[in-house]
Amino acid sequence: MRRLVHVLDVELAPAAPHASLVDARRLEAADPAAFAVLVKYMQAREKSFGTSVQRQALVRPEGVAGAVVGGFYTLLTGAYPSKVFTEPAAALAWLGQPEARAAPLLSKLNDLVAEATGQSPLLRELHQAMKGKLPDINLSDVAREMGMSERTLQRRLKEAGTSFQAELNAVQVRMAQGLLLETDMKLTAVAVEVGCASLQHFSSLFRKLVGESPSAWRERQLGKSSAESEPDKAPEESIAPTGTDGDAPSKA
């Protein structure tokens, strides 16, 4: 993150005065240490950005991550006009880009993201639809939201080398990771929130896709964030008893 934020220097003077779009729709979780790095970077350069950025629109993601992103500007002094949106078209309209110019810009942005992530537009659209329907989700509703029949969606997913269930499981685990990092919810509550029938099912699915139990992953990630936010302190070693935090026991 420390390396990534310096890419934003491209907007600093002597750049020509311009409008800026920050598209954070694909952000799945807000790591506390990474967020602190971004805020520190922006606070030190906000006045410099104000000489070249005329106005900035930020498109936030859904859920808890969206709430964190939406509150970002409250931590700055407001050296230039800024506004948070949920849809990129509305953000571009506020930046003075008419629909005729906004559509090609968004198309180019989607192509760049697909190239960088290796994820097709179909899967991005599918994941967005799924996130909005958890915990109660079914193939019929998702296909309808995407404007196609169940058979067509299943066929296109098969052509992409995946399936509805496989992508649903991936979305469930990503959402669970966000909740584990950003809240103090118990594992049972997280399981219910992402649509798993039981804690055992959730733990098994999480372990299968991530390689470790939800409680172990949470402990490791939060420990890493704490160590990164306090670089002068050596992280303390801790050993958690097996099966804590409601984690389902694993079978050898």
Side-chain angles (χ1 to χ4, degrees):
M1 188 64 183
R2 291 188 184 93
R3 293 193 298 270
L4 180 61
V5 291
H6 286 284
V7 175
L8 302 177
D9 284 350
V10 70
E11 293 207 74
L12 294 172
H18 61 280
S20 173
L21 173 70
V22 179
D23 186 354
R25 286 175 295 161
R26 299 167 184 84
L27 185 68
E28 296 175 352
D31 180 271
F35 188 76
V37 169
L38 175 60
V39 171
K40 183 177 180 180
Y41 167 89
M42 286 300 302
Q43 287 177 335
R45 294 166 176 79
E46 190 177 6
K47 290 184 179 179
S48 298
F49 273 97
T51 64
S52 56
V53 177
Q54 295 175 317
R55 56 170 50 191
Q56 186 173 76
L58 187 154
V59 187
R60 66 172 180 82
E62 299 291 336
V64 177
V68 174
V69 171
F72 174 72
Y73 288 120
T74 63
L75 302 175
L76 304 178
T77 59
Y80 46 83
S82 59
K83 192 172 181 180
V84 178
F85 296 85
T86 57
E87 293 295 334
L92 284 167
W94 183 75
L95 293 175
Q97 296 293 328
E99 186 176 351
R101 292 189 62 186
L105 284 171
L106 291 175
S107 178
K108 177 62 175 177
L109 179 59
N110 288 335
D111 289 344
L112 289 170
V113 172
E115 180 181 350
T117 63
Q119 188 181 54
S120 70
L122 171 67
L123 294 185
R124 287 200 307 274
E125 184 180 358
L126 174 66
H127 289 184
Q128 285 298 115
M130 286 178 166
K131 289 176 183 177
K133 295 188 178 301
L134 287 174
D136 300 316
I137 187 171
N138 60 67
L139 173 62
S140 178
D141 288 345
V142 172
R144 188 181 304 112
E145 181 168 325
M146 295 177 67
M148 62 184 76
S149 67
E150 294 179 37
R151 180 175 298 181
T152 298
L153 176 56
Q154 289 177 315
R155 175 178 55 79
R156 292 185 63 184
L157 289 173
K158 184 176 181 180
E159 291 171 351
T162 185
S163 67
F164 183 84
Q165 188 61 50
E167 297 308 315
L168 172 58
N169 290 345
V171 168
Q172 287 175 307
V173 169
R174 288 198 192 101
M175 287 192 66
Q177 287 176 318
L179 292 172
L180 291 170
L181 277 180
E182 299 160 7
T183 74
D184 59 358
M185 291 173 63
K186 298 294 185 181
L187 295 188
T188 302
V190 173
V192 171
E193 190 71 18
V194 301
C196 287
S198 67
L199 175 57
Q200 184 174 4
H201 173 215
F202 169 62
S203 295
S204 176
L205 174 63
F206 194 97
R207 188 185 295 274
K208 178 181 178 181
L209 296 188
V210 179
E212 60 185 330
S213 70
S215 57
W217 183 88
R218 171 188 254 173
E219 183 177 344
R220 183 169 59 81
Q221 293 295 322
L222 293 180
K224 183 191 302 182
S225 296
S226 176
E228 289 176 350
S229 62
E230 297 183 275
D232 295 330
K233 292 185 178 181
E236 296 181 0
E237 293 184 359
S238 61
I239 301 176
T242 303
T244 58
D245 204 15
D247 218 0
S250 59
K251 295 183 179 179

